[in-house]
Amino acid sequence: KEKRKTNILIIGRWWKENDAPELTDSIIIASINYDKKMLSMFSIPRDLYIDFPTGYKGRINETYSRGFRKTGKAEDGIDALKEVIKKITWEEMHYYVNLDFAGFREVIDAIGWIDVNVPKAIVDTSYPGKTHYETFKISAGPQTLNGTTALKYARSRHSTSDFDRSLRQQLIVKAIREKVLSLWMLTSPGKIKTLYWIIKENVVSDIDA
């Protein structure tokens, strides 16, 4: 039977610049519906409490870490997270994309920044910097974001809810997609080559070329 839908698990982590690299800071399910020719995204809050097989209750963003630490293999972390998500959504995850946030930042800078219509202003006085908390501010309305600002916008959560945060991440993914699929990008071999190397260095996935 021909497959009518493909689900892709997208997780965002700090591999290189964080002391807890196995925690999944972002969890998004991208679903491609072939009948409707549509791509939809569904975010799962990182602080969602779940029951682990051991009987322990904890946040879903620990799932990848627990699977990974059993064997030291990233695939086992992904499989553990896929299993939990299937129990929650009843949906099979066919593929995965495991993204380092440093790569996320580099992609946005490589494509010449992104345009996002910010629904509401944010003032986060507890955004985690490298050595101490810092203040992150952004105004409502149309904004052009570089990689660093877009990452802060996607990760900020102390002044808003996890649901607001999920929506912001989806707005950024949509903006990246629109920029990458623009005629300017598709006719620039140099830009495409740059994106290829950024993805190669910062993304692990079971999706082929």
Side-chain angles (χ1 to χ4, degrees), residues 61-77:
N61 74 328
E62 300 174 39
T63 309
Y64 174 89
S65 176
R66 287 171 168 270
F68 171 79
R69 290 181 181 180
K70 282 182 179 178
T71 62
K73 295 180 180 178
E75 292 83 359
D76 291 327

Side-chain angles (χ1 to χ4, degrees), residues 166-177:
S166 296
L167 174 61
R168 295 198 304 270
Q169 291 171 1
Q170 292 188 20
L171 288 174
I172 290 174
V173 170
K174 182 181 177 183
I176 293 172
R177 178 180 179 273

Side-chain angles (χ1 to χ4, degrees), residues 131-161:
T131 58
H132 59 276
Y133 287 118
E134 57 188 53
T135 297
F136 169 67
K137 296 180 181 180
I138 191 167
S139 302
Q143 304 286 346
T144 298
L145 309 181
N146 62 19
T148 298
T149 305
L151 182 57
K152 289 181 178 180
Y153 183 59
R155 296 189 69 221
S156 173
R157 69 189 188 95
H158 291 286
S159 62
T160 57
S161 72

Side-chain angles (χ1 to χ4, degrees), residues 2 35 48 51 54 56 69-70 72-74 77 80 84 88 95 124 138 141 148 167 173 185 203:
E2 187 179 354
D35 291 326
L48 179 69
D51 292 314
T54 57
Y56 170 77
R69 290 181 181 180
K70 282 182 179 178
K73 295 180 180 178
V84 165
I88 295 171
Y95 299 101
D124 181 355
I138 191 167
T148 298
L167 174 61
V173 170
M185 278 294 301
V203 173

